[in-house]
Amino acid sequence: MRKHSASSAAVAAATVLALTLTACSSKAEDDNGGGGGNGGSGDAGDGESVATGPGVTDDTIALGALTDMTGPYATLGVSITQAQQLYIKEVNAEGGVCERDLELTTRDHGYDASQAISAYNELEPNVLAYTQFIGSPFVAAVKDQVDSTDHAVIVAQAWTAALLGSEYIHMVGSTYDVETINAIDFLMDEKGLSEGDTIGHVYFEGDYGENALEGARYAADELGLSISEQQIKPTDEDMTAQVGTLAREGVSAIIVSAGPRQAASVAGVAAAVGLDVPIIGNNSAFAPQLLATDAAPALLDNFYIAAPTLPIGSEEEGPSTLAEAYLAEYPDATLDNGVVAGWNAARLVADALRIACDNDDLTREGVAAAMQELNDYDNAFGIVHDFSDPANPSSLESFIMTPDAEVPGGLVVEREAFVSDLAESFPRG
């Protein structure tokens, strides 16, 4: 049993974090003079005259989380979920939202399509919004249903451009294509990649990998590069064949648009065959647990990650305060960037709920409209986001990070948040 002092410390630290971050986020001015209520526990509305819909009672607001705790993103799924549970615990301790407690129901789909869609349909009639939905292919599969009939707001842990254009589905950060363009720009600027070179791209089949590949192809065409494309399945974990091909083709860098296990295999096999080139992954291609495996030396040598947030081990106030609160609540847990992703997604949903309450409209449509009022949203994790236009990602910026075994969370910033000229000019939609 966890000691009472640890639980109390978690709530106290999380409360400090929420109050600290309240001052950092902002919304569009309300033409009628209504307050935004972007953080903390106070709400301008009294919660009694609010229009409501599915998932909302006089006492509770039901939220859903569709996660992966047993598949290729299991480590991240656990961290995302626990961070969201911590956030909701803190919010409820401070009085909830719109005079209602938040309730989170979680389903583990194991990164399986049938389980993911079944879990979505199971929860859909009974929740107002989803703080989590891991898996670009699965979110994309329900997008038409969400847009046409369901209207439940989803903050997805999926960054495929196929999700753009929906007023109900949001992501915190750039899409995979833009993130990959920024990654290639980094390789050109700082890691010796030059015109005429070939880059390898190991990518998941489906929306995630194929969207990242779109960005890689665009950057390659603009920069005079060639791509050796290596498509894999999420169940593939041994990258020996793919890296062998890349070595024979003499690639000068490798992009990994897959999971942590695949990224570790790419790095380990490349080191074993003497392919000494920079390797860079999209934001979900790393977990600090890998630094305790045989792949650690290769990952520490020449591996990078592009991501839409500061790492959890950063000394900046947002990440450091969250890390303290998380470890107080889960003292045996491993810090990773899933903690940041989970916390930020839950907080984004709660901030939209607060605005919806101020607008006297806690229906699904009301929450979606409230989300679009968040047009200058600083979540204290390094990048300011704009959710006002569903046709565009909330940001085009990326941090570049590299593994460091001495830092909590295993990542440090290599290059501060930036958007490349190519990403700015990349045609979207």
Side-chain angles (χ1 to χ4, degrees):
M1 179 178 295
R2 186 178 295 115
K3 294 181 180 179
H4 177 71
S5 58
S7 180
S8 299
V11 173
T15 300
V16 170
L17 177 60
L19 295 176
T20 298
L21 301 189
T22 295
C24 299
S25 59
S26 58
K27 66 181 281 291
E29 291 295 328
D30 187 325
D31 293 337
N32 297 318
N38 259 350
S41 60
D43 297 297
D46 61 12
E48 296 179 358
S49 59
V50 174
T52 61
V56 183
T57 70
D58 290 343
D59 302 313
T60 62
I61 297 174
L63 305 172
L66 305 172
T67 192
D68 174 14
M69 292 186 176
T70 52
Y73 294 107
T75 56
L76 294 174
V78 170
S79 299
I80 290 168
T81 302
Q82 290 185 161
Q84 294 189 339
Q85 290 168 336
L86 173 61
Y87 179 84
I88 288 171
K89 177 180 179 179
E90 187 277 327
V91 168
N92 290 340
E94 291 296 302
V97 173
C98 210
E99 300 186 355
R100 294 163 170 86
D101 282 346
L102 303 183
E103 292 185 348
L104 185 67
T105 300
T106 301
R107 293 290 181 268
D108 171 25
H109 57 58
Y111 212 78
D112 175 83
S114 62
Q115 292 186 50
I117 296 187
S118 175
Y120 168 82
N121 287 322
E122 175 202 349
L123 297 186
E124 184 276 324
N126 303 311
V127 300
L128 176 59
Y130 295 84
T131 60
Q132 182 183 169
F133 198 161
I134 288 179
S136 294
F138 318 140
V139 186
V142 301
K143 179 177 180 291
D144 288 346
Q145 180 180 336
V146 171
D147 289 343
S148 62
T149 60
D150 295 348
H151 297 173
V153 167
I154 298 171
V155 177
Q157 287 65 49
W159 289 265
T160 175
L163 302 179
L164 294 177
S166 171
E167 62 183 299
Y168 301 102
I169 301 175
H170 299 272
M171 63 198 83
V172 182
S174 64
T175 45
Y176 293 121
D177 46 11
V178 170
E179 186 174 78
T180 304
I181 293 169
N182 286 338
I184 293 174
D185 180 83
F186 164 74
L187 295 174
M188 294 286 288
D189 284 352
E190 301 189 25
K191 295 300 166 184
L193 192 65
S194 59
E195 184 177 358
D197 285 345
T198 298
I199 52 178
H201 196 164
V202 179
Y203 66 96
F204 277 165
E205 63 181 6
D207 292 86
Y208 164 24
E210 289 166 19
N211 184 227
L213 181 63
E214 289 177 20
R217 286 173 173 170
Y218 176 79
D221 287 344
E222 295 294 315
L223 297 171
L225 304 169
S226 299
I227 303 177
S228 176
E229 301 175 8
Q230 305 293 315
Q231 186 186 81
I232 61 173
K233 294 179 172 61
T235 52
D236 296 337
E237 295 187 8
D238 182 358
M239 299 294 105
T240 300
Q242 289 77 15
V243 174
T245 298
L246 299 181
R248 288 191 295 274
E249 295 182 359
V251 301
S252 299
I254 301 173
I255 302 166
V256 181
S257 302
R261 296 171 186 170
Q262 291 80 16
S265 181
V266 168
V269 174
V273 301
L275 182 58
D276 185 16
V277 299
I279 302 169
I280 191 163
N282 289 98
N283 68 73
S284 57
F286 176 80
Q289 291 86 346
L290 298 177
L291 298 181
T293 70
D294 292 341
L299 292 168
L300 292 167
D301 181 48
N302 211 6
F303 184 79
Y304 305 91
I305 286 287
T309 178
L310 283 166
I312 187 64
S314 170
E315 295 181 355
E316 297 288 336
E317 187 170 19
S320 62
T321 309
L322 174 56
E324 179 184 358
Y326 187 80
L327 289 178
E329 181 72 6
Y330 306 107
D332 297 326
T334 298
L335 287 171
D336 59 31
N337 262 27
V339 178
V340 177
W343 179 276
N344 283 341
R347 178 171 175 249
L348 176 61
V349 170
D351 284 345
L353 294 177
R354 293 182 178 103
I355 297 172
C357 180
D358 293 343
N359 295 339
D360 292 328
D361 191 355
L362 274 178
T363 65
R364 290 173 172 178
E365 293 77 10
V367 176
M371 184 74 75
Q372 293 183 43
E373 294 190 47
L374 293 166
N375 60 5
D376 188 27
Y377 189 76
D378 185 351
N379 59 14
F381 285 83
I383 291 175
V384 176
H385 299 268
D386 181 358
F387 296 96
S388 64
D389 183 0
N392 288 303
S394 68
S395 169
L396 300 180
E397 294 185 90
S398 301
F399 284 95
I400 304 296
M401 299 180 284
T402 191
D404 186 331
E406 303 302 316
V407 174
L411 289 171
V412 294
V413 173
E414 176 80 9
R415 182 173 178 177
E416 295 292 339
F418 74 103
V419 54
S420 65
D421 291 341
L422 276 181
E424 289 273 17
S425 64
F426 179 57
R428 291 179 294 278

